[in-house]
Amino acid sequence: MNDQKGYNWAVLGCGVIANQLAEAMKKHGRNLYAVGNRTYEKALHFAKKYDVKIAYDNYQEIFSDDNVDIIYITTPHNTHIQFLKEALSSGKHVLCEKSITLNSQELDEAITLANDKHLILAEAMTLYHMPLYKKLDDLIKRGRIGDVNLITMNFGSYKDYNMNNRFFNRHLAGGAMLDIGIYALSFARWFLKSKPEQIVSQVKYAPTKVDEQATVLLMNNQEQMVTIALSLHSKQPKRGMISCDKGYIEVMEYPRAMEAIVTYNDRAEKEIIQLGNLSDALWYEVEDMENAVSGKENQMHLDYTKDVMDLMTEIRKAWGMRYPEEE
């Protein structure tokens, strides 16, 4: 650990998220300690761009470097469990890009290993760390808008029918549920009192046999209900709505939201809540992760991650949809 600058972070992968992480840390006076990538040239370019101290010529060295405290895994979904096991077995704390694993069995394996090693394991679900959601959670807990009764979620992204890209590629764990459905389910879980036990769903497949479009209905033991509509080939707003006794909350662009509109039943005017900064989304994750690692406060919500993974696993099981690694 570098006491002057906090924990030493290493990132595995050099894609979009890795770049956002490096930019967020640099904005706050921090640099990544190391980068590992399957292609060494890309790791070198990344290290030069962001003043990263070490670019491993063999990405496996990320696990054996004693100076690495925390590894952020940004590789494709279906590679996560392999890297999680290697990182945790090497004594590294891990923040892993969503979806953290393909299914509940893999996640349970990783959680058991993290617990055995007394390490922090977490999924990089941005909305759990955005200041706005902590504010909304407090608003609801104080009873200002009543009990949560119904949550309505939309997430639609128009992707060209290129069956070789990762969104539709079965061999890269493509499909709507793991790529965008996880945001809708994580949003819902944040505001629910417990994990839904009743699940009904429909699916439309892409030609590659991954889920292109889906609708999901959920209800928990407190009879709180959730409706979700997902699509990879039809544009929708990224909108979440929490309907309560005394009004409702609307959140647009909810994966990294900075604004919510609250409509109260007994008021003519709407309340606009603005909090947080989009460019700091990855920094909020870094702060919460370092607090958890230091033992100050664990706000990584691995319990919610587990609930969401259980739901996604059950939904895909009902569809009969498996990835090659699961066959």
Side-chain angles (χ1 to χ4, degrees), residues 85-102:
K85 290 192 290 187
E86 291 185 78
L88 294 167
S89 295
S90 301
K92 312 302 184 188
H93 303 282
V94 182
L95 182 60
C96 184
E97 190 54 33
K98 57 85 192 166
S99 106
I100 190 170
T101 57
L102 290 184

Side-chain angles (χ1 to χ4, degrees), residues 22-194:
E23 290 166 0
M25 293 185 75
K26 204 167 186 65
K27 177 182 175 182
H28 291 270
R30 298 274 298 279
N31 289 323
L32 286 164
Y33 167 77
V35 57
N37 193 69
R38 184 174 55 85
T39 305
Y40 180 49
E41 290 74 18
K42 289 183 179 179
L44 280 175
H45 176 76
F46 184 94
K48 183 177 180 180
K49 182 178 181 180
Y50 295 110
D51 297 321
V52 179
K53 185 176 182 180
I54 296 174
Y56 303 109
D57 56 7
N58 178 348
Y59 71 81
Q60 291 289 331
E61 293 176 8
I62 198 171
F63 306 117
S64 58
D65 188 338
D66 290 337
N67 291 315
V68 171
D69 300 305
I70 305 169
I71 298 176
Y72 194 137
I73 297 173
T74 71
T75 55
H77 306 148
N78 56 339
T79 66
H80 288 176
I81 186 60
Q82 170 197 341
F83 293 140
L84 285 171
K85 290 192 290 187
E86 291 185 78
L88 294 167
S89 295
S90 301
K92 312 302 184 188
H93 303 282
V94 182
L95 182 60
C96 184
E97 190 54 33
K98 57 85 192 166
S99 106
I100 190 170
T101 57
L102 290 184
N103 53 52
S104 293
Q105 182 178 345
E106 289 184 353
L107 181 54
D108 288 344
E109 187 178 356
I111 290 173
T112 297
L113 183 55
N115 289 339
D116 289 346
K117 295 284 187 176
H118 305 290
L119 296 165
I120 298 297
L121 168 66
E123 182 177 64
M125 177 50 62
T126 48
L127 65 85
Y128 291 160
H129 309 285
M130 297 297 289
L132 178 70
Y133 285 99
K134 297 176 183 182
K135 178 72 172 180
L136 294 178
D137 183 56
D138 180 65
L139 181 147
I140 290 172
K141 284 180 177 177
R142 287 190 286 115
R144 287 189 57 198
I145 198 165
D147 291 332
V148 174
N149 295 320
L150 175 65
I151 298 173
T152 308
M153 305 301 302
N154 296 86
F155 197 138
S157 180
Y158 181 82
K159 306 297 182 185
D160 289 331
Y161 263 156
N162 175 2
M163 293 304 149
N164 293 317
N165 70 24
R166 71 174 184 87
F167 299 106
F168 297 108
N169 192 329
R170 186 167 172 267
H171 295 280
L172 292 176
M177 183 57 66
L178 291 192
D179 196 73
I180 60 178
I182 189 169
Y183 285 115
L185 288 166
S186 297
F187 179 104
R189 184 62 191 91
W190 181 262
F191 295 105
L192 292 173
K193 292 180 180 178
S194 66

Side-chain angles (χ1 to χ4, degrees), residues 291-305:
N291 283 336
V293 169
S294 69
K296 290 180 181 177
E297 186 177 17
N298 191 336
Q299 292 189 336
M300 300 312 294
H301 303 288
L302 185 60
D303 54 342
Y304 288 180
T305 295

